[in-house]
Every structure is written in C-alpha cells, then in structure tokens.
Amino acid sequence: MTTYTSADIAYDRAGPRGEPPVVLLHAGVADRRMWEPLWPALTAERDAVRLDLRGFGASVTRPRGALSPADDVLDTLAELGIADCHLVGASFGAGVAVEAALAGRERVRSLLLVAPGGSLIPGVTPDLRAFIEAEDAALDRGDLDAAAEANVTWWAVGPHREADAVAPEVRDLVHRMQRRAFEVTAGWDDVAEAEPEPPALDRLAEIRVPVLVLLGALDLLAIHDAARRVAAGIPGARRVDWPDAAHLPSLEQPAEFLTLLRTWLAAEGA
C-alpha cells in the first residue's frame, strides 16, 4: 500500500522510532524503488523514509505552482513530524538534498550525497551532452523505450564498460523507473521549475552539517566535476570513491552501500 501526504507525495516509512530517521531521495533516473535492495535491512534497525519526488513513481499530481522538489521534501518532513533527519540523496536527489538543507537547515542533521547531480552539476561535459542528445532524439520520435534505454546505457551502465557488467535486474529496474517518469510527466511541458537564487552550487559554504560524498569512478565526467566541486565547497566534507561503480552504487552494490551508510551514521552519533 502506498501512503501519500496531503500534497500527494508518495512515501514509505518503516523501522523503529527514536533516533532521527534516514530519509532517502532517489536519482533522476529512478524513483523510491531504487532503495528496495537495502530497505528491509535498513528498516529492521532504524526509522527510514523513502519518497517519490513529484513526477516520479507514484507522485503523479502536477504541482499547483512551480515545481520545487526541495519544498516537497521539507513539506513531507513537516507533515510526518520529523524535526531533524539524515538526508541521503542520489544524483538528482543529491541536489534536492542540498537545496533542502539550505532552505530548512534545522531539519537536516547530515548529508550523504551519492553521485551528486541535478543542480550540483557545474557544466555540460561531452559525455553528458551525448546522453542528452540520445535521450532527446528518442523523445522527439515518441519512443519512450529508446529514451529509457538511453538512460540505462549512460547512467546504469556508464560510458566506461559494457552492459553485461551490470546485473540485468538493475538495468531492467532503471528502464522501468525512467519510463514511468516519462509517462507521468508527458503533459508537464508547461510546468515551470523553481530556480533557487542564488543557486545551490554558489552556497555550498553555507552548509554546516557533516557531509559525505560518494563517487563511482565509472560515472560520467559531469558527475566527477560535481563531486569535486561539492567536496571542495562544503566545509569539512569527506569524499569516498568506489573504483568499480558507476552512477548508481547503491543499486549495484547494496550490501556495501548499507555498510557505508551504517558507518556514516555511527560516526555521526546517530
């Protein structure tokens, strides 16, 4: 059963209450299903929330005004009575996590930023441009499957290895999640997106909570650039590189990611 907030944001919450919860924000090529491989083990030991950002998964209601994922996250935390939490954001979700931390500082105790993307990408690199062109060409043809497969190729697999290096169930899940996002937002061309001013990238020094950045070495150059910028710009931020992962390390290596998350939370006294 999917639970919804009053603003129609779909979420799951499970695990023993007491400590500040872990809140999981999915990648832009995914939805809250990307956390399923680690969800049972995580929620067996602590309070956790995973949600579908608006336009993804089961969060299908158009925004009343400009689309603001960070506001949706903060509103969800407020409605769930979460005074403070540990935010874990992957890719696009990492950018949302940083924007939420800047806008609602009292609610965020720490940040784990996985393959930072979205609003944290400082510029379009040649590999990112190649992906955009492949996705746009498929969408222009109305071929949602080809557009979803472009996301699988560039993000789930990455530009530095062959498809069979990634488990077929991971590739299939990313395809289904991304195709779902295309379907949900098919009529959203007129929806404006809120643009924080100044941008989050220009305000990194304002973040005063502990931050860990995780980067897969096989990811796009644009994400490498973002990880460098974020790790250098946030005071005291730490960075961990995984040599055999691309853009979705928590899906590729869920057990190892859960260990990293546990270690991070323990280090923060949570």
Side-chain angles (χ1 to χ4, degrees):
M1 294 291 292
T2 298
T3 307
Y4 293 88
T5 68
S6 60
D8 291 333
I9 296 298
Y11 73 94
D12 304 309
R13 186 176 188 179
R17 307 291 175 90
E19 297 290 343
V22 176
V23 177
L24 306 171
L25 306 180
H26 60 78
V29 295
D31 53 46
R32 76 187 197 279
R33 287 176 288 176
M34 74 169 283
W35 306 112
E36 186 59 34
L38 55 87
W39 185 251
L42 176 63
T43 56
E45 59 195 38
R46 68 175 305 130
D47 188 9
V49 177
R50 58 177 177 175
L51 56 88
D52 285 336
L53 298 170
R54 195 178 299 276
F56 297 88
S59 294
V60 300
T61 301
R62 288 165 57 104
R64 291 188 177 91
L67 179 65
S68 177
D71 285 343
D72 281 335
V73 170
L74 292 173
D75 290 345
T76 298
L77 297 180
E79 186 164 330
L80 297 183
I82 296 174
D84 65 336
C85 67
H86 301 276
L87 276 183
V88 179
S91 184
F92 175 76
V96 175
V98 168
E99 291 176 6
L102 288 168
R105 301 179 192 185
E106 73 284 353
R107 292 193 182 276
V108 179
R109 180 170 290 202
S110 74
L111 291 167
L112 173 49
L113 306 176
V114 184
S119 61
L120 300 177
I121 295 177
V124 178
T125 53
D127 51 7
L128 180 56
R129 187 175 303 282
F131 156 70
I132 293 170
E133 290 173 352
E135 183 187 64
D136 285 350
L139 291 175
D140 288 344
R141 299 193 306 271
D143 191 341
L144 298 188
D145 282 321
E149 199 57 32
N151 281 270
V152 172
T153 298
W154 286 95
W155 298 111
V157 176
H160 305 293
R161 58 185 176 179
E162 299 299 321
D164 60 7
V166 179
E169 59 268 24
V170 170
R171 303 198 309 267
D172 177 66
L173 177 60
V174 171
H175 183 104
R176 287 187 284 115
M177 292 188 293
Q178 181 60 74
R179 197 183 195 287
R180 171 65 174 167
F182 288 142
E183 292 169 348
V184 169
T185 60
W188 289 24
D189 290 346
D190 60 331
V191 173
E193 295 187 24
E195 299 288 347
E197 187 58 41
L201 267 178
D202 295 339
R203 299 179 60 195
L204 295 177
E206 297 177 29
I207 295 177
R208 298 297 179 179
V209 298
V211 175
L212 178 64
V213 178
L214 172 61
L215 175 69
L218 303 178
D219 211 337
L220 274 67
L221 290 175
I223 307 304
H224 283 253
D225 289 349
R228 280 194 293 268
R229 179 84 169 259
V230 171
I234 298 177
R238 292 174 47 214
R239 174 174 153 180
V240 175
D241 288 25
W242 282 6
D244 54 350
H247 193 61
L248 300 168
S250 68
L251 266 177
E252 288 190 53
Q253 303 174 34
E256 292 83 353
F257 183 82
L258 185 58
T259 296
L260 176 75
L261 176 57
R262 286 171 173 150
T263 302
W264 172 246
L265 294 172
E268 299 312 314

